[in-house]
Amino acid sequence: MSFQAPKGTFDWLPPRSEWALLVRDALSAPARRAGYGYIETPAFEDTALFSRGVGESTDIVTKEMYTFESRGGQSLTLRPEGTASVVRAVIEHGLYGGALPIKLWYSGSYFRYERAQAGRYRHFSQVGAEALGAEDPALDAELIVLAADGYASLGLKNVRLLLNSLGCKECRPAYRAALQDFLRGLDLDETTRQRIEINPLRVLDDKRPEVRAQLVGAPLVTDHLCGACKAYHEEVRGLLGAAGVAYTDDPRLVRGLDYYTRTTFEFVHDGLGAQSAVGGGGRYDGLSEMIGGPPLPSVGWALGVDRTVLAMEAEGLITERAGHVDVFAIPLGEEARRRIFPLVSELRRAGLAVDMAFGGRGVKGAMKAADRSGARYALILGERDLEAGAVQVKDLTTADQTAVPLAEVVEVLKGKLS
Ligand code: AMP
């Protein structure tokens, strides 16, 4: 019997997997430099945390959660997103009692039972950042700038930022009612009609052309913002402009999670087909209270690692060079292996990336492996070299070869590679 990775999942394999690590690192680096501390939460939580936190009427909660009963009879769910867990941890540990805002970043696996297709998986990876406990347009702008800088640091040119405000608990109800009035007059199927009553904003997100065509005249949230929300949004826009981050206002941008208020945004990449969102986020002022915590106005984002690698591939930014070593050691015979093994360890401890030939293959196979490794230098140790107390250092780009005394190899290679 043979096994395959479950539908909607895939394995990251070298050398491509190096890019996943690199993306994770690059997307989190700007937040780490801006005072965000690392948080790690469990991959599963109480089911109720997500049904309450993400929203009972969302696709995620109604259709996409991996929910199971533990042996102890508790309903648990593999996390479909990161924000609810972070807010839960902040409340549980009373972090809101200290200095505000609490700035946190995280990275890990997320699970949604989605219709699997290119760029949409059932197990995927995100880098996230959250700033909790402050209502300040500069904080919304900070997070957006950090995400934009993360994409830019990877060399991505075609990431676009879409920006919107969803209003607050003062102005959203009137907008919601106006939108419901408009939507009830449209020709829609029964499921969508039900959605109008539960979560009308989500109808704006419908991707079907026959629905989209009818939505052209829908009331826009930006026309219904209260004075405070309007001023807040203007401030965020101004700060983004001042920091040199370009954006497009998208009054139809709603997000798939219920907890958003005011600022919402999405980063999209046009080279990815239907699954164009590489990241997104927004402000969620009511979430803490929804899951039993104190008022804690907050803002955050989650950026998709898998789709960011796809975006880099679409822009031709993925080269073969990732994950190479500097030096490849080739022992010819057992005595040579005994001697070269500690030398390889020593080189690695000196900070060089070094691999060696294993399995006692002949020199030809070992040279092939050296080429494949991407190493700049091969270290070849034969019987005659052993007698002479030296090793051959071969430059694999020029094929020049010189004998270097074993005692000097570490220094010589460090010098060549610095
Ligand atoms: P969301 O919170 O759903 O907006 O997710 C944030 C980001 O995570 C998205 O912009 C995607 O880049 C990524 N993402 C979300 N769901 C998936 C999925 N099923 N497969 C791959 N990436 C995903």
Side-chain angles (χ1 to χ4, degrees):
M1 174 165 188
S2 68
F3 293 101
Q4 291 176 326
K7 189 171 173 195
T9 72
F10 67 95
D11 302 304
W12 280 106
L13 302 174
R16 194 170 175 267
S17 51
E18 288 295 326
W19 293 94
L21 284 179
L22 194 137
V23 161
R24 210 181 273 267
D25 196 48
L27 293 180
S28 56
R32 297 193 321 258
R33 282 196 297 271
Y36 288 71
Y38 179 64
I39 181 169
E40 204 169 302
T41 62
F44 53 84
E45 298 269 0
D46 249 318
T47 300
L49 172 68
F50 299 120
S51 42
R52 250 185 265 159
V54 177
E56 297 279 7
S57 70
T58 58
D59 281 353
I60 291 181
V61 171
T62 54
K63 298 187 215 154
E64 297 174 0
M65 296 209 300
Y66 282 92
T67 297
F68 59 98
E69 192 176 302
S70 73
R71 286 177 191 273
Q74 190 186 3
S75 179
L76 298 172
T77 293
L78 296 183
R79 59 185 178 192
E81 59 102 50
T83 306
S85 304
V86 170
V87 178
R88 192 265 308 138
V90 164
I91 298 169
E92 180 174 341
H93 302 288
L95 301 187
Y96 53 83
L100 298 176
I102 308 147
K103 292 171 150 193
L104 299 166
W105 77 273
Y106 52 90
S107 162
S109 290
Y110 296 85
F111 310 87
R112 294 182 195 173
Y113 193 80
E114 301 210 63
R115 215 157 34 78
Q117 62 183 92
R120 186 156 76 185
Y121 313 110
R122 292 179 173 175
H123 166 251
F124 58 96
S125 194
Q126 290 181 336
V127 170
E130 317 282 348
L132 303 101
E135 198 178 332
D136 183 337
L139 202 52
D140 305 42
E142 168 175 288
L143 274 158
I144 294 173
V145 172
L146 294 174
D149 286 354
Y151 292 123
S153 76
L154 289 166
L156 286 164
K157 299 263 186 298
N158 302 329
V159 175
R160 288 187 299 124
L161 167 61
L162 308 177
L163 185 67
N164 194 18
S165 171
L166 292 181
C168 64
K169 59 178 189 299
E170 303 301 322
C171 52
R172 181 104 67 95
Y175 170 64
R176 191 185 137 103
L179 182 63
Q180 281 176 322
D181 272 352
F182 172 85
L183 295 173
R184 286 185 194 120
L186 302 183
D187 178 21
L188 298 168
D189 59 276
E190 196 42 46
T191 319
T192 314
R193 298 197 81 77
Q194 282 167 10
R195 186 172 283 170
I196 297 173
E197 306 311 319
I198 309 164
N199 196 343
L201 267 73
R202 292 300 319 284
V203 181
L204 289 181
D205 206 20
D206 204 305
K207 301 283 185 291
R208 293 170 294 179
E210 66 275 21
V211 179
R212 294 209 78 85
Q214 296 188 69
L215 292 173
V216 172
L220 298 177
V221 63
T222 30
D223 295 332
H224 289 76
L225 295 180
C226 62
C229 282
K230 221 179 260 173
Y232 194 96
H233 196 51
E234 278 315 305
E235 195 62 31
V236 173
R237 295 171 81 238
L239 290 167
L240 288 178
V245 169
Y247 58 87
T248 308
D249 289 308
D250 183 355
R252 287 168 187 278
L253 177 71
V254 293
R255 308 232 328 117
L257 302 90
D258 271 357
Y259 49 61
Y260 287 110
T261 51
R262 289 197 167 166
T263 313
T264 46
F265 53 89
E266 205 150 82
F267 290 92
V268 294
H269 192 279
D270 296 322
L272 296 184
Q275 304 306 315
S276 61
V278 290
R283 179 159 276 283
Y284 49 93
D285 291 342
L287 178 56
S288 171
E289 288 142 294
M290 279 157 70
I291 59 172
L296 211 55
S298 306
V299 54
W301 47 241
L303 314 180
V305 172
D306 315 78
R307 281 190 205 163
T308 302
V309 174
L310 294 176
M312 291 181 70
E313 279 169 339
E315 290 197 27
L317 294 167
I318 302 281
T319 58
E320 283 296 309
R321 288 298 286 167
H324 67 283
V325 293
D326 303 317
V327 178
F328 195 89
I330 301 172
L332 303 176
E334 286 186 22
E335 189 47 38
R337 183 183 62 204
R338 272 176 224 124
R339 184 62 194 86
I340 217 163
F341 186 84
L343 179 60
V344 164
S345 303
E346 208 184 326
L347 285 164
R348 289 175 182 155
R349 286 176 193 137
L352 305 187
V354 188
D355 198 1
M356 67 178 269
F358 292 101
R361 281 172 302 169
V363 95
K364 227 167 127 196
M367 285 310 292
K368 235 186 236 165
D371 278 337
R372 239 181 283 127
S373 77
R376 175 80 200 277
Y377 296 100
L379 278 188
I380 306 157
L381 189 62
E383 265 172 43
R384 233 173 306 148
D385 301 312
L386 272 174
E387 277 164 29
V391 62
Q392 302 294 324
V393 176
K394 182 169 182 178
D395 184 325
L396 292 170
T397 44
T398 62
D400 288 343
Q401 188 168 316
T402 44
V404 175
L406 278 165
E408 292 169 23
V409 166
V410 175
E411 281 315 307
V412 167
L413 282 173
K414 263 170 74 179
K416 282 180 186 291
L417 287 161
S418 62

